[in-house]
Amino acid sequence: MKFKIYSFRNAKIIFENDELYKNDWFELLDVLENISEDEVVNLFEISNRKDIKSLSEPINKIIDDRLKTKGWRRQCEIFNDSEYRPNSCEHKNPWTIDFSKNEFAIEVAFNHGQVVAWNLIKLVLAGELNHVEKDINTSVGIVVCATDKLKKNGGFDNAVGSFEKFLQHLKPMNNLLTIPIAVIGLCDFENYIIIRYKLYISF
């Protein structure tokens, strides 16, 4: 896949040049670059879900599978205190990060635009000291999300927070976001488009 990168607090420069970050950074980029349109579309078409409407689910699955095989932890609790680690599996624990490895915390954010700010704050909570005992101690963050064009042509719900919406949040939240964060926006597909939840070849 093609994607855009926005570098907050010099994230890209730091990730590419600091030995503490560069291997894991390039590993993530390699995972994203090697997602092909055809394999996403194939997963969309063979999905067991009758109500599948967008490309978000197959993209999410591919990222999940490939990061796991490379040793990234998934659904990581930020805190170690049992109060923030509920036993119930009925609802997703809000105090979790999608993936972590070494210094990196990653949110793959195809969810509602109302939680854009919360997704950013969680990266900071994972990356800073806290009065609550931590389970993971990262120092930088990454958000992977859809650009407006992918959101429109990939069948995403209008309410989903996009790359552009994340960027809009960075300036007013500047003083709250104390760690380097890279926002990666996945670009529109070249060969496929979803119209009213049906897949079409776009050329």
Side-chain angles (χ1 to χ4, degrees):
M1 289 192 73
K2 293 182 179 179
F3 48 82
K4 303 176 180 179
I5 300 174
Y6 184 86
S7 181
F8 179 75
R9 295 196 183 278
N10 299 311
K12 189 169 181 287
I13 294 173
I14 294 169
F15 298 170
E16 288 179 351
N17 295 283
D18 192 320
E19 294 296 330
L20 194 61
Y21 306 109
K22 63 191 304 183
N23 288 341
D24 295 327
W25 169 246
F26 287 118
E27 183 174 78
L28 171 66
L29 296 188
D30 183 66
V31 165
L32 298 179
E33 286 169 352
N34 285 286
I35 297 173
S36 74
E37 294 185 7
D38 288 340
E39 65 181 323
V40 174
V41 166
N42 182 58
L43 283 178
F44 178 86
E45 291 183 320
I46 66 173
S47 173
N48 292 324
R49 278 187 53 193
K50 293 181 180 180
D51 61 343
I52 187 168
K53 298 176 180 179
S54 79
L55 299 176
S56 64
E57 183 179 301
I59 293 172
N60 227 333
K61 176 172 173 47
I62 293 169
I63 293 173
D64 186 85
D65 289 345
R66 293 188 181 170
L67 288 183
K68 280 193 295 184
T69 63
K70 292 181 180 295
W72 291 74
R73 288 178 58 198
R74 63 186 302 275
Q75 293 303 310
C76 313
E77 283 89 358
I78 298 171
F79 300 117
N80 214 17
D81 191 317
S82 59
E83 183 179 351
Y84 301 95
R85 298 166 68 100
N87 293 323
S88 172
C89 296
E90 294 178 10
H91 304 287
K92 181 181 176 183
N93 181 358
W95 305 100
T96 60
I97 292 292
D98 286 336
F99 298 96
S100 72
K101 186 177 182 182
N102 299 321
E103 298 294 321
F104 281 95
I106 298 179
E107 280 291 291
V108 180
F110 296 143
N111 41 11
H112 200 287
Q114 288 184 338
V115 297
V116 163
W118 177 239
N119 282 330
L120 291 168
I121 289 294
K122 283 198 295 180
L123 297 175
V124 178
L125 290 174
E128 294 281 17
L129 294 175
N130 199 284
H131 294 291
V132 181
E133 182 185 356
K134 301 281 293 297
D135 187 60
I136 57 171
N137 290 289
T138 55
S139 59
V140 295
I142 297 171
V143 174
V144 178
C145 52
T147 57
D148 279 340
K149 282 192 174 181
L150 177 60
K151 178 177 156 180
K152 177 183 177 182
N153 294 327
F156 288 64
D157 190 286
N158 285 336
V160 166
S162 66
F163 174 75
E164 290 79 4
K165 192 173 183 85
F166 272 94
L167 300 195
Q168 189 182 46
H169 277 65
L170 293 177
K171 187 174 181 180
M173 295 181 68
N174 183 75
N175 291 340
L176 300 175
L177 305 176
T178 54
I179 63 170
I181 296 173
V183 184
I184 301 177
L186 304 179
C187 294
D188 194 17
F189 281 18
E190 295 179 352
N191 301 313
Y192 299 95
I193 186 171
I194 290 180
I195 302 174
R196 295 179 182 176
Y197 313 131
K198 293 185 179 180
L199 185 71
Y200 295 90
I201 298 175
S202 63
F203 56 87

